[in-house]
Amino acid sequence: MSPTDVAARARAATVPAQPSVVTAAAWLRAPSAAPGVFRVRPLPGEATTSYVQRLAVTYQLTLPQLLDGADITLTGHGTSPAAELILTPRAAQHLAALAHIPLPHLRRALPHLALPDDAHDTVAAARWKRLEAEQQPVRACTLCTRHRSHDATDTAWVHRPPHRLVCPRHHQAAPDPRLTTTIHTWAALELVTAHHAHQRLRRHPRTATAWTTARAITTRWYDHQQHLTHRWHTRLNQLCATNPHLTTAGNVSPALLTRDLITYPETVTLARTLTTLPSQPHHTTDDALTLIAHRLGLPHLPLNANDPLRAFLTHTHR
């Protein structure tokens, strides 16, 4: 043994032994990368339940087992997409440490994890919360999910905003929470074109109002079989031909399950047109209707007095 080794042992002997206890501070520090420790990236807008489930599958554990191993107390029962996991701030910190994702990044990706910090909250707990039908997430693109899950699973659920209705890279979409399988959209490539147009539309200051109005109008047209019926029927037939599961989705018709997807290109076009309509007094409602019909690729728009588009234009052009 060298003199250096002897000196090192002597110095160690003078240091009091530390108890073998993992402190809270040590646990909250994100562990360094090591074999067997996975960094699982969240999907944008992913449900907390979905993310925790993917993390558990990566470690070949059940969701309760993963939470228990992370010292998070789970109460109640539930499954995605019908229910969501609500975590305390301390539990969110534990989850971020286990996942090797900084907590601010995790909160930006998981909309239901955006809880305020509470310095007095020392309980790491999770509980199930049932979601109403309109609050439930939809199925995420299977290929995007597999890429972010170390190939462990292709199932994830996301709270998808309107501008992410379609995955343009993998040609998949899930426009309705009742769909347990994504829809392949490669047979209707105009959906990807609409997706890119929607990204440009988001830069306009009146996007939110225009989108809400346009979606309400096209939904009304779709439900009452007006104006674009032939085009929408063709698109529906294309989607059903490449997605046979649409016709076996229980008691819900394919026409209803795919409504937002079928009307998507025309909704984007209408919203973009509404943001650019001239507001000068000498432009009439009929002038606006002529422009909108041209943008939609229609010879004309024969609207009755109760049509939502005519009502909107009449109100805005007074």
Side-chain angles (χ1 to χ4, degrees):
M1 182 179 297
S2 69
T4 302
D5 293 333
V6 173
R9 287 198 172 188
R11 285 194 302 269
T14 63
V15 179
Q18 299 296 320
S20 180
V21 176
V22 178
T23 65
W27 165 247
L28 294 178
R29 288 196 299 269
S32 58
V37 178
F38 300 101
R39 185 177 187 269
V40 177
R41 291 186 296 157
L43 294 160
E46 188 169 4
T48 304
T49 304
S50 170
Y51 180 69
V52 175
Q53 182 63 55
R54 286 200 300 118
L55 194 59
V57 170
T58 302
Y59 282 97
Q60 299 184 13
L61 298 171
T62 65
L63 186 148
Q65 287 173 340
L66 180 85
L67 293 179
D68 182 64
D71 286 338
I72 298 174
T73 303
L74 176 63
T75 57
H77 300 277
T79 57
S80 191
E84 178 64 300
L85 273 177
I86 306 300
L87 273 60
T88 63
R90 183 56 55 89
Q93 292 175 333
H94 286 208
L95 180 66
L98 179 64
H100 277 197
I101 302 292
L103 184 56
H105 296 181
L106 203 59
R107 282 180 170 161
R108 282 195 293 270
L110 309 181
H112 287 184
L113 194 68
L115 299 172
D117 284 317
D118 186 349
H120 302 290
D121 182 5
T122 59
V123 177
R127 62 179 176 85
W128 289 102
K129 178 184 178 182
R130 184 169 180 80
L131 299 176
E132 299 297 331
E134 63 274 9
Q135 298 174 320
Q136 292 180 11
V138 296
R139 184 75 184 268
C141 171
T142 57
L143 295 179
C144 289
T145 302
R146 185 168 288 281
H147 176 68
R148 296 198 179 202
S149 304
H150 300 276
D151 288 327
T153 180
D154 62 5
T155 301
W157 301 87
V158 294
H159 297 278
R160 177 175 292 130
H163 64 274
R164 292 202 198 111
L165 183 63
V166 178
C167 174
R169 181 178 181 183
H170 301 122
H171 300 284
Q172 292 188 34
D176 193 286
R178 289 167 290 190
L179 285 167
T180 57
T181 306
T182 58
I183 298 174
H184 295 283
T185 62
W186 54 265
L189 295 179
E190 64 271 23
L191 295 174
V192 173
T193 302
H195 168 85
H196 294 313
H198 201 169
Q199 310 316 302
R200 295 192 295 273
L201 172 64
R202 294 178 63 216
R203 295 194 288 266
H204 196 282
R206 295 199 300 271
T207 294
T209 300
W211 175 259
T212 301
T213 302
R215 184 173 181 270
I217 291 169
T218 56
T219 298
R220 174 74 176 272
W221 288 352
Y222 185 86
D223 290 345
H224 292 271
Q225 303 293 304
Q226 293 179 2
H227 314 309
L228 295 152
T229 302
H230 177 72
R231 186 187 305 179
W232 286 340
H233 278 180
T234 300
R235 196 171 294 152
L236 174 61
N237 291 335
Q238 290 173 332
L239 293 176
C240 286
T242 53
N243 297 275
H245 63 276
L246 282 173
T247 60
T248 59
N251 298 324
V252 186
S253 70
L256 183 58
L257 288 172
T258 61
R259 180 175 60 188
D260 285 350
L261 194 60
I262 290 172
T263 61
Y264 185 55
E266 289 70 33
T267 303
V268 173
T269 298
L270 180 56
R272 293 182 67 191
T273 306
L274 292 180
T275 62
T276 58
L277 283 178
S279 57
Q280 291 83 351
H282 59 275
H283 288 281
T284 66
T285 296
D286 288 338
D287 293 333
L289 289 175
T290 300
L291 175 61
I292 292 171
H294 173 72
R295 295 280 179 85
L296 290 174
L298 298 172
H300 61 283
L301 275 171
L303 304 182
N304 59 44
N306 297 323
D307 189 276
L309 177 57
R310 180 175 286 280
F312 173 79
L313 294 175
T314 301
H315 174 74
T316 56
H317 281 74
R318 283 177 180 175

